[in-house]
Amino acid sequence: MRHSRRLFADEIRFPFSSGFDAGQWQRIKSTADAGMRALPPGMISGSDIDALAVKAARVNCRSLPGGQEISLAQADLNSLPALENRVILCNPPYGIRLAQDTILGDFYKELGNFLKRRCKGSEAYIYFGNREMLKQIGLRPAWKKPMRNAGLDGRLAKFELY
């Protein structure tokens, strides 16, 4: 029995590993890494009101080249500075953390007001995991595209802010 297990383990071959050259991979990766430009401080930033979400984002950013230059903060939407002439990416709550649709609707209305008042000249790309919230944001999207995320049939919408 022991012998047959050993033979089975020795016979396992993964199709992606045949012909893989670890040395060549390292050379290609090193060349690509050397060609990367440094990320200017403040070019990418992010925030969330939830401390655990910010902590998870910090861990993820550390795995990126230049990730230490990404500024992250625990912050309420209303405490954020104006974001004029920027590209804004947002993945707001779908209603899982905020249990009631009225609270979620109020948040989306507040998000829409923030974008209208404090993000002039920007483009905002927002993923709506709860498609009903598209109506609550109070902005007309330039376009909407179906997008699945974590099993949700959501929409990615682009807003041009003037």
Side-chain angles (χ1 to χ4, degrees):
M1 183 79 140
R2 186 177 204 181
H3 181 69
S4 64
R5 281 189 187 179
R6 184 169 180 257
L7 286 176
F8 177 75
D10 288 344
E11 292 174 6
I12 295 175
R13 298 280 186 253
F14 296 101
F16 61 84
S17 66
S18 64
F20 178 75
D21 182 337
Q24 182 179 15
W25 166 250
Q26 281 305 321
R27 287 188 298 279
I28 291 169
K29 184 175 180 331
S30 294
T31 301
D33 287 349
M36 292 176 63
R37 292 181 293 169
L39 183 64
M43 180 176 229
I44 299 176
S45 63
S47 66
D48 198 296
I49 198 167
D50 185 320
L52 290 176
V54 173
K55 183 177 180 179
R58 280 195 179 109
V59 169
N60 290 333
C61 287
R62 276 190 287 236
S63 68
L64 300 171
Q68 68 279 4
E69 297 299 335
I70 298 173
S71 171
L72 299 170
Q74 181 182 354
D76 179 76
L77 178 64
N78 293 313
S79 69
L80 296 176
L83 299 172
E84 296 181 353
N85 303 308
R86 308 273 179 106
V87 175
I88 300 166
L89 305 173
C90 187
N91 183 11
Y94 314 144
I96 296 167
R97 284 193 282 171
L98 301 175
Q100 300 171 358
D101 280 347
T102 54
I103 294 172
L104 191 60
D106 290 345
F107 171 79
Y108 275 86
K109 184 176 179 181
E110 192 176 327
L111 175 59
N113 288 336
F114 173 81
L115 293 169
K116 285 185 266 193
R117 294 180 186 144
R118 299 179 58 207
C119 299
K120 302 209 183 309
S122 294
E123 293 178 346
Y125 297 84
I126 301 176
Y127 177 71
F128 292 84
N130 180 338
R131 292 183 296 168
E132 292 301 311
M133 293 302 117
L134 261 164
K135 301 170 192 167
Q136 302 298 318
I137 201 159
L139 294 166
R140 183 181 307 269
W143 52 254
K144 299 178 286 192
K145 301 192 183 291
M147 185 174 157
R148 292 190 61 80
N149 181 30
L152 298 171
D153 181 25
R155 295 292 178 269
L156 177 64
K158 176 185 178 183
F159 299 95
E160 295 170 347
L161 307 162
Y162 302 102

